[in-house]
Amino acid sequence: MILEGEHESAMRRALRLAKLAARRGEVPVGAVVVFGSRLLAVGCNQRETKHDPVAHAEIQAIRRAARKLGSWRLDGCTLYVTLEPCAMCAGACVNARIARIVYGCADPKAGYVSSLGNLASDARLNHRCEVVGGVLAAESGAALRDFFRRRRRSGGSENASDPQSGREPGA
């Protein structure tokens, strides 16, 4: 098993991206794809700014990493993301052949690599990802709680109440 300290640097980068997303009015989720110690790509939520329901941080980072490598196969890569991936993003990791998913805080209402199910490690699929959860979970959860607290105080829109599907995670 890999220790949390080995993942902190990449997760801190993802947290900085999450904060950037929040400043842009997006739910604060950030993602980083690395190969060994090499940073390949980054992403943050852009659903609001792109008016795109699939513009999750993970999808942004995976697409950029594939373009950088010139291949859809991200064999040996690790995805770091501040919030447990949803079913769509877990499926994208499997399809991209991501080796490992490392996430910050759990998402009990939409997370699909451990909370509601484990799509990324399902033995029936042709590829499985190692999953490591809880890396800098407190910081990831705090970023989400702070964002939604500010949103409620300012009377933010109803449809922007959560990172993936209408609820507030990390609370």
Side-chain angles (χ1 to χ4, degrees):
M1 180 168 172
I2 296 172
L3 300 174
E4 179 178 316
E6 296 180 50
H7 299 300
E8 275 191 22
S9 177
M11 188 61 78
R12 288 201 186 286
R13 177 78 181 250
L15 280 163
R16 287 192 298 273
L17 291 160
K19 290 175 182 175
L20 172 65
R23 286 193 301 272
R24 294 176 175 169
E26 298 281 353
V27 173
V29 179
V32 174
V33 176
V34 300
F35 182 75
S37 61
R38 179 179 166 211
L39 175 69
L40 290 180
V42 301
C44 62
N45 268 356
Q46 294 183 301
R47 293 189 322 160
E48 299 296 330
T49 54
K50 288 189 172 193
H51 309 289
D52 182 352
V54 299
H56 291 198
E58 300 94 314
I59 300 298
Q60 303 301 310
I62 289 169
R63 284 178 171 159
R64 290 175 180 136
R67 280 194 301 268
K68 187 166 192 170
L69 291 177
S71 174
W72 62 268
R73 292 179 181 269
L74 301 180
D75 296 312
C77 291
T78 299
L79 171 75
Y80 291 88
V81 60
T82 57
L83 180 67
E84 178 184 358
C86 68
M88 174 184 70
C89 294
C93 289
V94 169
N95 283 310
R97 309 299 195 265
I98 296 279
R100 181 182 305 120
I101 299 167
V102 179
Y103 69 88
C105 63
D107 188 347
K109 295 188 178 180
Y112 227 83
V113 298
S114 61
S115 293
L116 295 178
N118 194 341
L119 183 64
S121 298
D122 191 316
R124 297 169 295 179
L125 299 176
N126 63 338
H127 177 77
R128 284 164 293 290
C129 309
E130 176 188 349
V131 175
V132 177
V135 176
L136 301 180
E139 292 93 329
S140 297
L144 289 160
R145 282 189 303 277
D146 292 348
F147 175 82
F148 290 113
R149 192 173 298 122
R150 285 190 307 274
R151 170 94 19 128
R152 281 191 298 274
R153 268 191 252 134
S154 69
S157 70
E158 290 178 24
N159 66 352
S161 65
D162 92 318
Q164 313 295 352
S165 66
R167 85 283 167 233
E168 181 178 342

